[in-house]
Amino acid sequence: MTAKIISIGDELLIGQVTNTNATWLAEQLNQIGIKVDKILAVSDKGEEIEHTVKSAISRHRLVITTGGLGPTKDDITKQCLANVFNAKLVLNENVLANNIAYFKARGHELTELNRKQAEVPDCCEVIENTCGTASGMWFDTPHNGVLISLPGVPYEMKTMMEQHLLPRLKALNGGEIIIHKTVMTHGLGESFLSERIASWEDNLPENFKLAYLPQPGILRLRLSAFGTDEKSLNAEMTKQLDELHRLIPELIYGYENESLESVVFRLLKEKKQTLSIAESCTGGYIAHRITMLPGSSAIFQGSVVAYDNNVKLNLLNVSLKTIEDFGSVSEQCVKEMAEGAKKLFKTDYAIAVSGVAGPSGGTDEKPVGTVWISVATPEKTVTKKFSYGDNRERNILRACLSALNLLRLEL
């Protein structure tokens, strides 16, 4: 079954409100095997709502609208749906009683506007709203489908879906299943990774689909499987993921949106080992990511933001000769920074980062985006150069992720 989600409201189109309802609905529908192939946002204009709904119910077995069910004059969804289905708005006594009780419990009398909220198209099935006064509506469409109209208030919409609609829609879908697995990777861009796993991707079963979801420093691979036999789908999914891991073991750091810092934290905690950090161009961002994790004090001792060379010299024991001969953005300097932090904090591991974040400060020899990263371990110190772009914010993020990943590989 395919579905279309229609979000109603001018506030969505002017950027005043983020359309979180559509995102949540799409996720919930996918989990019960319903594919969402279109999401639209439309204005509070009657002709636009009616045209969009008519088109949607002619093409999809399931259409869900959110928004426009409130008590004010711009809430016209109910009247538009009545027009689409050639229905009349009638007072629903059950909804009226619920709304009277809702306001009485809060010390208010029912207003005429709220009384009108108890009017619904005479051809719909009312969906109870236990969190508010705007009832949902279920319409059987002329094309053997269903249209569901829900409030735009997120907690009301979510409660109605969870209490009344998701089990019913799952049964209506006839047992179709969609499962997703997300593989988190770092170290190769989209096109390069695609080339490396091309043969595996080309030989995926017909009911499997791979999507590439890039973001700065991270590439998520979402593998989706479609069918009716959950056991066999999961077995095949495991087989395919095992093969993918065999192809790119060093690039995969986690699954299901797991963060690099959480992986590093888990590995250090398992080993009962500690970490310190020396940061220059990242300005404490790596330490921030680590300390956002609950319980990070078990592994994290402290950090030095060595932005000025005097801090590198006086706190981390970087030699003046190193800076004079090679500069602060160099293999030699960052190696001494890592070893200095490890000694200063008496930790098992230390990360150090120094680079040219931009947008200025670059040279022909060390252009903007040049970053050196070092990891000091109990046995050795590894150092690597990275070349990013000219965007300061992205360079800081990528340097942070690269540093965490370099540590992960050593762990």
Side-chain angles (χ1 to χ4, degrees), residues 104-337:
K104 185 177 181 180
R106 290 156 178 79
H108 300 292
E109 295 290 329
L110 189 75
T111 68
E112 184 58 30
L113 283 175
N114 292 120
R115 179 182 176 85
K116 286 187 70 65
Q117 278 196 291
E119 294 181 357
V120 297
D122 59 9
C123 64
C124 80
E125 175 187 339
V126 170
I127 304 165
E128 183 184 5
N129 184 350
T130 58
C131 302
T133 58
S135 296
M137 295 166 283
W138 176 294
F139 297 85
D140 293 317
T141 71
H143 307 283
N144 194 33
V146 172
L147 181 140
I148 298 170
S149 177
L150 298 171
V153 180
Y155 71 88
E156 295 182 24
M157 178 275 295
K158 291 177 181 180
T159 301
M160 296 165 80
M161 283 293 293
E162 291 169 343
Q163 287 184 348
H164 305 294
L165 296 172
L166 288 174
R168 188 172 175 182
L169 290 172
K170 184 176 181 180
L172 186 67
N173 192 37
E176 290 185 29
I177 297 168
I178 305 173
I179 61 173
H180 302 287
K181 294 294 181 182
T182 303
V183 182
M184 307 297 295
T185 76
H186 173 89
L188 271 186
E190 186 176 1
S191 59
F192 298 103
L193 182 56
S194 177
E195 284 186 9
R196 189 159 161 187
I197 63 173
S199 178
W200 170 80
E201 184 178 0
D202 290 342
N203 287 285
L204 284 171
E206 289 185 0
N207 59 327
F208 276 65
K209 179 182 178 181
L210 183 68
Y212 294 80
L213 308 172
Q215 60 190 77
I218 298 294
L219 177 57
R220 292 178 294 163
L221 302 176
R222 188 189 65 231
L223 188 60
S224 304
F226 310 86
T228 56
D229 186 336
E230 186 171 5
K231 184 177 180 180
S232 65
L233 279 181
N234 280 314
E236 184 63 31
M237 177 68 75
T238 299
K239 175 185 173 184
Q240 294 300 331
L241 290 177
D242 287 345
E243 177 63 15
L244 180 63
H245 194 278
R246 187 187 68 78
L247 291 172
I248 52 171
E250 80 287 3
L251 301 180
I252 297 175
Y253 70 82
Y255 297 88
E256 307 309 329
N257 295 315
E258 191 173 16
S259 69
L260 267 166
E261 57 267 28
S262 65
V263 174
V264 165
F265 169 60
R266 185 183 71 247
L267 292 171
L268 284 167
K269 192 173 182 181
E270 288 172 357
K271 293 172 176 286
K272 297 182 180 179
Q273 292 178 315
T274 54
L275 172 68
S276 58
I277 303 172
E279 301 185 58
S280 183
C281 65
T282 48
Y285 185 57
I286 306 173
H288 166 72
R289 298 267 298 224
I290 292 287
T291 55
M292 285 293 289
L293 300 171
S296 57
S297 59
I299 61 98
F300 186 58
Q301 295 296 298
S303 68
V304 173
V305 179
Y307 219 64
D308 187 83
N309 283 342
N310 285 321
V311 181
K312 297 179 179 73
L313 295 169
N314 297 325
L315 279 182
L316 297 174
N317 276 331
V318 175
S319 74
L320 179 60
K321 182 172 175 53
T322 293
I323 292 179
E324 289 176 341
D325 291 350
F326 304 102
S328 59
V329 180
S330 65
E331 178 181 8
Q332 294 79 2
C333 180
V334 81
K335 180 176 183 289
E336 291 182 25
M337 287 172 64

Side-chain angles (χ1 to χ4, degrees), residues 324-391:
E324 289 176 341
D325 291 350
F326 304 102
S328 59
V329 180
S330 65
E331 178 181 8
Q332 294 79 2
C333 180
V334 81
K335 180 176 183 289
E336 291 182 25
M337 287 172 64
E339 292 171 351
K342 183 171 176 285
K343 183 177 180 180
L344 176 66
F345 291 102
K346 298 180 174 62
T347 54
D348 300 293
Y349 290 84
I351 293 172
V353 179
S354 185
V356 187
S360 60
T363 65
D364 290 340
E365 184 183 11
K366 299 174 184 178
V368 169
T370 301
V371 176
W372 280 96
I373 298 174
S374 187
V375 172
T377 79
E379 297 84 24
K380 60 183 179 179
T381 301
V382 295
T383 307
K384 188 173 181 180
K385 180 183 177 182
F386 295 85
S387 298
Y388 305 123
D390 57 4
N391 182 285

Side-chain angles (χ1 to χ4, degrees), residues 29-40:
L29 292 174
N30 259 265
Q31 289 179 6
I32 60 172
I34 296 175
K35 306 171 190 175
V36 176
D37 64 7
K38 281 195 179 178
I39 295 176
L40 286 180

